[in-house]
């Protein structure tokens, strides 16, 4: 932490919070004498005045009382809530939660809740044969750690690939390899968010990202994403008024909606980012999952001053079993991320990176991608066909893995979800993607994980249950 | 975060800190008008009184001043430090550092700084052949995600293995698979440490763990580790007086010293943990790296009430390229860790887990381990031989990867290190393993990474440079 004068001013507040948490954990109980100012100052290696101010605050707030010539004593808990905390096991901690992950762990045959690709659509036999070759090329691969930043050869190849995709100059030093996009988002959250910081997100947005940001203590500002993109005036107003730490966005085949922010808005967004010094985190996990035409140029392309970080995950459609993602950014972003990565896992496993590298560079990969797009498009079409007569609303996605469907007000999504789970049909309620927990009449249906027949049967069950609720 | 009454009391302090950080980032500059209490309360969705108290505190601390009938204004920075922060790029953040990782990134031929095993000592050819088999058994492995907790089959096998090692009942649910021990330590740190919390560590201890704990805002208490273990009276006194959140320990072939805490202390340590409700994190990364006899029973064995978490990393000696580690613990520890793991990377890659599983279960693995122990012991002997005539002090380790050597006071370790790096010899200065940054006359020499010949030549260079400094 920065050891600034301002931080020193805050110390007594931290001490105050610290004493309270020790009381909550039961170290000092009601009517126990607290350590003397001298003793606590020595323990915390702080100035006595700092501890004195913390004790004064405890007294003011009714957490402690003074007995003359004796010292400070812990007050009885004053609220139900405080009593509850005192009775809980000292080791539990509910800071962390991941709601969508819990929904996805519920087994279902008609699995529309996981935005994953059906393993049957991946070239498994080819991959198996392929692997042996990689182990022949690198006989010591199993015995070797990767560098923290990621395998040099892989970063070299990916930076070349990204230069083509992004149409900018890039060096291998401007990439960091992570274990999936999830880790990339978590690293960025840890680096940029301090408690109470505001960040800007789309509404709706990727649910697990919200949980990651929440765990770091972020407060959310949001801008609606529509088939036409964002309201740029609103984005500017938010950046101007609130100076969010970053804007986490998924502008291409957006999860959960499938919308794409139009090319005409992208340059302007980068200008806003520069003007208001708001980092853009461009999560581009679905870039290669297009149906008719290739996606429009990414925001990173327009960035000349290091205000865009680009996340390119290959987990979903190359090899989910490998979990390879690249963070692309300028040095000012990548350097501190490398240090953080060295702390969190000291670098992603080398085996995965080498397997990925060779498969990714193969001709087979492009063939696979082509087939995969066709298969996904067929599944999307089947799902839409089954929903056609319902009158429900959605925008046909031109890429990605999901339909974002708005149901009539008369259908309670929570009731629908509970009944569907009983019938082996799963989906994710819309509110989980909304930073403010609304969007109660939308649902996300993923068409990429189960086969054509299952999509048909699953959606028919869903529609039948919905009709039952309505009637 | 818990939404207790106590937390609500703290809100205004958080708001105070929050406003200061926005001033530091340049959002509001000296003599700018701060938003009105009404406006900021609306923005933060807080009660006006909360914001009012924060503003009062800003005024008290000289961060803001009041103009009558107008409002609150930002004061000029009052210290050099504050001015510096204002001039720095708003995006840099120096919360995170990892000193040992930086030392280890410096290239050297005589590499004694990395506590890793020479890839030439691993059964690479066998592993390569082996891999194909695994891909035949699981043809869809590349296309499949692991569950968050880790592959079920692997946890089943490892829990059986751990029951034998630890001599306790265990189910597969009591294991969490992580990407190396580093990730395991980071997860535990995030779960248990809040800023200013104290934790207990050994002195010296694993340097990267210190950096992880520091990043979470921990304060350190330490107990010396010696060839005879710890001073248990001191451990008890610390637990009693300070209630540390946990005791992070590496009691078997300890890194960096190689010492082992004797069996006679282990049961007592678990009793202390239970009595003072202090979790023990038993990092057992070097368990299988013994030379003469198998290590003594682990602390986990004595635990009946869930106060020990056991970390078993297989990264180092089975297959560093796979990064597989198991956290063994009771439900109250494992459950919140699974949620956290779902946030940080949604589960370790499946390919690694399956490759590991099959190799680990093979007969070849035991043969490999036997050979590896012999090879390491030979390297240890060669290093000791080369140091014999120096008069430097160390205790011969009966396992692990390092010598912990105390140099005469007349040799400056920093000077030695700088000169050695120039001569292609690297090691880690002792102070990096000390939570208080002392231990200035010790160094860690790792004998596992370079071959016999290089150990000889490297140590001769080191000794020569030391003699030169002394003379």
């Amino acid at each position: 932490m920065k050891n600034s004068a301002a931080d020193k001013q805050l110390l007594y507040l931290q001490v105050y919070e610290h004493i309270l948490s020790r009381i909550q954990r039961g170290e000092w109980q009601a009517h126990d004498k607290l350590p003397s100012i001298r003793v606590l100052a020595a323990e915390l290696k702080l100035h006595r005045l700092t501890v004195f101010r913390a004790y004064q605050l405890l007294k003011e707030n009714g957490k402690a009382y003074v007995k003359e010539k004796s010292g400070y004593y812990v007050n009885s808990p004053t609220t139900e809530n405080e009593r509850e905390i005192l009775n809980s096991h000292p080791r539990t901690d509910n800071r962390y939660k991941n709601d969508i992950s819990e929904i996805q762990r519920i087994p279902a045959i008609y699995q529309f809740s996981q935005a994953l690709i059906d393993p049957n659509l991946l070239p498994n036999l080819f991959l198996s044969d392929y692997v042996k070759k990689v182990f022949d090329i690198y006989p010591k691969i199993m015995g070797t750690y990767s560098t923290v930043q990621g395998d040099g050869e892989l970063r070299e190849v990916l930076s070349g690939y990204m230069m083509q995709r992004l149409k900018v100059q890039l060096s291998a030093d401007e990439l960091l390899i992570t274990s999936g996009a999830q880790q990339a988002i978590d690293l960025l959250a840890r680096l940029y968010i301090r408690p109470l910081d505001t960040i800007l997100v789309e509404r709706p947005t990727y649910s697990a990202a919200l949980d990651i940001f929440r765990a770091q203590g972020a407060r959310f500002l949001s801008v609606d994403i529509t088939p036409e993109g964002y309201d740029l005036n609103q984005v500017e107003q938010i950046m101007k008024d609130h100076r969010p730490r970053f804007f986490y966005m998924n502008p291409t085949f957006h999860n959960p909606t499938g919308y794409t922010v139009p090319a005409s808005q992208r340059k302007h967004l980068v200008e806003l980012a520069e003007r208001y010094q708001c980092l853009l985190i461009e999560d581009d996990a679905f870039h290669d999952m297009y149906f008719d035409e290739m996606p429009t140029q990414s925001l990173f392309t327009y960035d000349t001053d290091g205000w865009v970080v680009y996340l390119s995950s290959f987990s979903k459609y190359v090899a989910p079993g490998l979990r390879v993602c690249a963070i692309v950014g300028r040095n000012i972003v990548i350097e501190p991320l490398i240090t953080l990565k060295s702390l969190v896992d000291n670098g992603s496993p080398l085996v995965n990176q080498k397997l990925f590298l060779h498969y990714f560079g193969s001709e087979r990969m492009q063939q696979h991608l082509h087939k995969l797009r066709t298969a996904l498009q067929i599944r999307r079409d089947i799902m839409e066909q089954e929903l056609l007569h319902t009158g429900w609303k959605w925008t046909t996605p031109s890429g990605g893995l999901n339909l974002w469907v708005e149901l009539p007000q008369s259908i309670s999504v929570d009731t629908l979800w509970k009944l569907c789970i009983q019938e082996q049909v799963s989906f994710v309620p819309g509110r989980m993607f909304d930073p403010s927990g609304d969007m109660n009449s939308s649902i996300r249906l993923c068409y990429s994980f189960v086969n054509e027949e299952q999509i048909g049967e699953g959606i028919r069950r869903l529609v039948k249950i919905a009709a039952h609720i309505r009637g």
Side-chain angles (χ1 to χ4, degrees), chain A:
Chain A
M1 293 201 199
K2 283 170 192 154
N3 193 19
S4 69
D7 279 350
K8 274 177 205 147
Q9 286 284 2
L10 289 172
L11 259 179
Y12 86 95
L13 307 177
Q14 285 184 29
V15 173
Y16 171 81
E17 202 162 335
H18 171 72
I19 296 168
L20 274 189
S21 81
R22 287 169 78 169
I23 292 172
Q24 280 176 11
R25 284 182 216 138
E27 182 173 342
W28 301 309
Q29 311 205 338
H31 311 297
D32 275 3
K33 187 173 184 306
L34 287 165
S36 73
I37 289 170
R38 190 183 51 78
V39 165
L40 193 63
E43 181 195 322
L44 299 177
K45 296 198 179 80
L46 294 173
H47 198 281
R48 289 184 200 178
L49 207 63
T50 310
V51 176
F52 171 74
R53 293 189 74 184
Y55 274 21
Q56 285 293 99
L57 200 59
L58 284 167
K59 205 181 85 181
E60 276 174 38
N61 291 341
K63 303 296 163 198
Y65 59 90
V66 174
K67 278 193 199 172
E68 222 166 317
K69 290 191 185 156
S70 170
Y72 291 85
Y73 287 77
V74 179
N75 232 335
S76 317
T78 47
T79 66
E80 188 53 42
N81 217 326
E82 282 184 342
R83 274 186 290 275
E84 231 167 69
I85 289 172
L86 287 177
N87 290 330
S88 74
H89 193 291
R91 284 177 296 169
T92 57
D93 191 321
N94 57 3
R95 259 180 300 174
Y96 302 107
K97 63 181 205 73
N98 187 342
D99 290 337
I100 197 170
S101 167
E102 267 157 44
I103 281 192
Q104 288 165 344
R105 274 184 259 165
I106 300 169
I109 295 169
Y110 309 98
Q111 178 57 274
F112 305 129
S113 69
Q114 306 247 33
L116 303 178
I117 287 170
D118 182 354
N120 293 308
L121 295 181
L122 298 168
N124 298 297
L125 285 179
F126 171 75
L127 281 171
S128 283
D129 283 345
Y130 209 83
V131 162
K132 183 65 167 50
K133 203 174 102 189
V134 173
F135 282 85
D136 286 342
I137 302 173
Y138 310 101
K140 293 182 191 171
I141 191 182
M142 295 280 268
T144 313
Y145 282 92
S146 165
T147 56
V148 174
Q149 186 168 6
D151 178 56
E153 196 185 5
L154 174 61
R155 283 186 290 113
E156 205 58 63
V157 167
L158 281 182
S159 64
Y161 176 84
M162 286 295 164
M163 286 210 295
Q164 289 203 324
R165 179 193 281 191
L166 300 171
K167 301 196 172 63
V168 291
Q169 279 299 314
L170 271 182
S171 82
D173 284 346
E174 293 171 308
L175 270 74
L176 171 70
I177 306 298
T178 65
S179 298
Q182 188 92 1
Q183 188 182 50
I185 296 169
D186 185 53
L187 290 174
L188 287 161
R190 284 175 87 172
L191 192 62
Y192 289 109
I193 299 173
R194 296 203 183 200
L196 277 185
D197 275 352
T198 51
I199 57 166
L200 178 56
V201 295
E202 297 152 332
R203 176 172 177 273
T205 186
Y206 176 45
S207 166
L210 289 177
D211 285 330
I212 291 171
F213 301 148
R214 264 190 209 108
Q216 290 300 115
R219 290 177 310 116
F220 299 118
L221 302 162
S222 68
V223 58
D224 285 358
I225 183 167
T226 69
E228 290 76 41
Y230 316 120
D231 175 342
L232 290 189
N233 289 330
Q234 195 196 356
V235 171
E236 174 156 15
Q237 202 60 48
I238 289 174
M239 286 188 179
K240 196 172 162 186
D241 292 348
H242 299 275
R243 301 278 173 156
R245 290 291 271 161
F246 57 71
F247 181 4
Y248 169 76
M249 50 164 62
N250 176 207
T252 305
F253 314 134
H254 172 261
N255 178 11
T257 65
Y259 306 154
T260 292
V261 174
S264 58
Q265 292 200 336
R266 296 187 173 216
K267 197 176 174 197
H268 192 167
L269 281 161
V270 175
E271 285 165 4
L272 291 178
E274 287 176 11
R275 189 172 320 147
Y276 299 104
Q277 306 213 318
C278 173
L279 194 72
L280 303 182
I281 300 179
E282 182 181 17
D283 187 345
D284 203 15
F286 306 99
H287 182 274
D288 287 301
M289 303 292 91
Y290 58 87
F291 300 140
D292 301 311
E293 47 189 79
M294 283 186 62
T296 185
Q297 203 57 50
S298 83
L299 279 84
F300 192 88
T301 305
Y302 301 105
D303 177 37
T304 53
D305 201 29
W307 288 103
V308 183
V309 192
Y310 183 81
L311 307 190
S312 186
S313 170
F314 304 96
S315 281
K316 286 196 188 280
Y317 63 91
V318 181
L322 296 180
R323 317 280 339 267
V324 172
C325 171
I327 304 182
V328 184
R330 301 308 176 180
N331 279 344
I332 197 160
V333 176
I334 296 295
E335 281 299 322
L337 283 173
I338 295 171
T339 301
L340 186 51
K341 173 84 175 160
S342 79
L343 290 174
V344 308
D345 67 5
N346 214 16
S348 290
L350 183 63
V351 168
N352 308 46
Q353 297 182 57
K354 290 296 195 191
L355 288 174
F356 173 81
L357 165 66
H358 283 265
Y359 176 56
F360 188 72
S362 71
E363 218 172 276
R364 179 66 188 242
M365 174 68 200
Q366 288 310 313
Q367 295 164 13
H368 154 58
L369 261 176
H370 185 74
K371 281 188 198 164
L372 179 59
R373 283 182 204 114
T374 309
L376 289 176
Q377 189 165 5
I378 291 170
R379 291 181 183 204
R380 177 200 67 180
D381 293 345
I382 291 172
M383 189 177 271
E384 288 194 308
Q385 191 61 41
E386 292 290 342
L387 290 168
L388 213 57
H389 64 283
T390 57
W392 300 351
K393 287 181 216 151
W394 69 92
T395 301
T396 298
S398 48
L401 312 178
N402 309 293
L403 289 193
W404 177 250
V405 180
E406 201 187 327
L407 306 182
Q409 293 288 348
S410 53
I411 301 173
S412 152
V413 167
D414 282 338
T415 309
L416 181 67
W417 187 80
K418 275 177 212 146
L419 295 174
C420 277
I421 287 292
Q422 289 170 19
E423 298 289 322
Q424 296 287 336
V425 177
S426 75
F427 62 84
V428 184
R431 65 178 155 72
M432 309 206 68
F433 302 98
D434 183 349
S436 42
D438 299 330
M439 299 200 132
N440 275 316
S441 51
S442 295
I443 63 175
R444 187 188 77 172
L445 294 172
C446 171
Y447 48 75
S448 60
F449 194 66
V450 295
N451 66 33
E452 291 85 342
E453 207 180 319
Q454 286 168 327
I455 291 176
E457 175 60 24
I459 297 295
R460 283 191 293 276
R461 289 189 185 200
L462 174 86
V463 171
K464 201 172 148 193
I465 294 166
H468 177 75
I469 294 172
R470 225 176 161 178

